Amino acid sequence: MAPQRFREQFQQIQRSMPDVPLVIGPDESAGFFYEKGVILARDGDEARLVEDTVREHFTAFAGLTGDQVRRESPATNRTGITRIRVADPGQGDGTGDPAVGQALRSLTAVEGRAGRRLVGRNHVVHIAVNACPGDEPVPVPRAEPANPGQAGTPYDPETAVGVLVVDTGLVHDHRGSPLLAHAGGDLQIQECDEDGILQPYVGHGTFIAGVLAAVAPNTDVVVRNTLNDAGAVLESEFGEKLFEAVDRGGWPDLISLSAGTANGRTDGLLGLAAFMEELREQRTLLVAAAGNNAADLPFWPAAYADLPGYQDSVLSVGALRSDGESGACFSNHGPWVKVYAPGERLTSALTGFRSPVPYVYQHSTYDDCRYGFPYACTCAHPRHTGVLSEPGETATGKPDQVMFEGHAQWSGTSFATPAVAGLVAAHMTAHRETDPRAARKQLLAANTAQAVVRGERVPALLPPTWRPVPVTRPGRRS
């Protein structure tokens, strides 16, 4: 049996949120997780309407008890969202949540009369390497240069473009990498476990900051540990955490966000609506990852780039494979993905250079590409045995351990995103453009590079210092 990476990550995320019962969305093809027994509604009259409608439905039609339906304390934050409990979270298992499904269906007619969405699941928002990661980091020799390499524009604190990275925090020795000499913000809460082994995906925010600083050295990069070390947060908390991140330093020129979730809908996340409305009124450009589920289902907030009123304020980014000619096998795709950039086997800073640190792989690689692509993609190469895979799925059953001493190679739309944010910032510096949204339009208008993704020609933004690597068929060396 092949590894089941999405289900493995469900177990991983559930362990990181032990007090929150989670389920996989209606089926695994939906590509999302959510809190069991809870729905979301807007505060005030809408929350009361939702509560009353669900209780009446459960009592009259669903064969369930309506006495468990209750509003929990309304949120006191700017998101304006109320959690409504609709069932005992201890009932059933993690394969679905009939009570939440019934609650959502009970509002269908009411939403139709209201002319807008009133209710939603409480999804888990996660870093885009999580849930269905492109791959896990691979150590590279200290002498191997970053890819993208560092551009020539010097850092100038007077003209530097402000970029906020909303992610996991920086590793403590990040300034050991020249790329991150000027990076600031939050540190990881816990880099290693009690045995001194790096926690899963530690260095995600650091790697992103390194890619961004390489493409655009004249930036003030601030990394916030908004998504905690596990890289996952409930939708009901996500909007407020984004508000907190921008409040700490003011609205920046750019936000680089390599996180999100699908939700099976085309109208966004209820818990993010207030933040997105305020973003629209600012000058900030949100550059957001399209996600790694190899699907065309909208991944939020990246997919806001395709919604009326948000096209100027959001730029969604998919990933290209290592040669830059086609889409990476794992990248989400579709008309809501507005641009693609290299996102396979990039090289950047994972830790500083003070001492080697061990890492144990979480996922086993596949015998072939899990999405059916015919090149030597990150699904299968390099070979790894992961701790989350079931016994018997791999040859040895023992997870692989490696040592990191500075740089790493890593793949995902997580890392294509800061490359694009960096290109927008570099354009602002080169052209003395102070409006990031205008810079985005100018950059895309001047760009002529294209790639092929699922048979369609799409815009490709290729950093000048990025070095393409030819792809090979499985079993052949470059």
Side-chain angles (χ1 to χ4, degrees), residues 53-407:
T53 303
V54 173
R55 182 181 292 113
E56 179 181 351
H57 174 81
F58 277 9
T59 302
F61 304 109
L64 302 171
T65 174
D67 58 7
Q68 291 179 340
V69 179
R70 65 186 185 279
R71 275 176 293 157
E72 300 188 334
S73 298
T76 57
N77 55 53
R78 283 176 284 175
T79 60
I81 293 299
T82 294
R83 291 161 46 91
I84 300 177
R85 177 72 60 186
V86 297
D88 177 1
Q91 296 176 348
D93 56 25
T95 59
D97 191 341
V100 165
Q102 286 280 358
L104 297 179
R105 286 189 289 274
S106 74
L107 269 297
T108 301
V110 179
E111 288 184 320
R113 291 194 296 271
R116 69 168 182 161
R117 182 182 179 191
L118 301 177
V119 65
R121 295 179 176 87
N122 194 14
H123 301 88
V124 176
V125 179
H126 50 81
I127 56 177
V129 76
N130 215 332
C132 206
D135 69 350
E136 294 179 79
V138 177
V140 297
R142 289 189 181 189
E144 185 164 333
N147 189 19
Q150 186 161 352
T153 306
Y155 173 72
D156 175 11
E158 297 298 321
T159 61
V161 177
V163 186
L164 172 64
V165 174
V166 175
D167 208 84
T168 63
L170 293 160
V171 296
H172 74 279
D173 57 356
H174 62 277
R175 286 199 170 89
S177 169
L179 291 172
L180 301 175
H182 305 292
D186 303 329
L187 298 180
Q188 294 262 184
I189 300 169
Q190 183 181 3
E191 294 179 15
C192 298
D193 63 18
E194 59 274 11
D195 296 320
I197 296 173
L198 287 169
Q199 299 274 42
Y201 311 119
V202 161
H204 189 260
T206 304
F207 196 98
I208 286 169
V211 171
L212 205 156
V215 176
N218 191 32
T219 48
D220 280 322
V221 179
V222 175
V223 181
R224 294 297 176 204
N225 196 14
T226 301
L227 299 176
N228 66 57
D229 286 356
V233 64
L234 288 173
E235 179 184 337
S236 57
E237 303 170 4
F238 185 45
E240 177 62 16
K241 285 182 175 290
L242 289 175
F243 276 126
E244 290 174 356
V246 297
D247 284 349
R248 292 175 66 180
W251 286 88
D253 295 310
L254 299 160
I255 298 175
S256 180
L257 177 63
S258 294
T261 181
N263 67 349
R265 297 183 62 101
T266 59
D267 55 357
L269 294 176
L270 199 61
L272 201 54
F275 178 83
M276 296 304 299
E277 288 172 6
E278 186 158 336
L279 169 72
R280 187 168 53 186
E281 302 305 314
Q282 303 293 330
R283 58 186 291 279
T284 299
L285 175 66
L286 172 63
V287 186
N292 301 329
N293 298 84
D296 60 0
L297 289 173
F299 188 81
W300 307 99
Y304 277 95
D306 207 40
L307 292 188
Y310 292 98
Q311 293 95 333
D312 290 340
S313 54
V314 182
L315 180 57
S316 50
V317 183
L320 299 175
R321 67 187 191 183
S322 61
D323 63 359
E325 296 180 3
S326 300
C329 70
F330 53 78
S331 181
N332 284 348
H333 53 94
W336 55 273
V337 184
K338 299 306 178 183
V339 72
Y340 291 78
E344 189 175 64
R345 296 190 176 114
L346 301 186
T347 302
S348 185
L350 188 75
T351 69
F353 296 90
R354 297 179 185 177
S355 60
V357 190
Y359 179 82
V360 173
Y361 283 97
Q362 304 299 299
H363 303 286
S364 298
T365 45
Y366 294 66
D367 291 335
D368 300 296
C369 176
R370 58 191 152 137
Y371 304 117
F373 280 62
Y375 74 101
C377 65
T378 58
C379 295
H381 303 277
R383 303 294 297 171
H384 297 306
T385 297
V387 68
L388 294 178
S389 299
E390 294 295 328
E393 288 184 357
T394 59
T396 65
K398 183 179 179 181
D400 292 340
Q401 179 173 307
V402 293
M403 301 294 289
F404 284 101
E405 300 182 82
H407 282 179

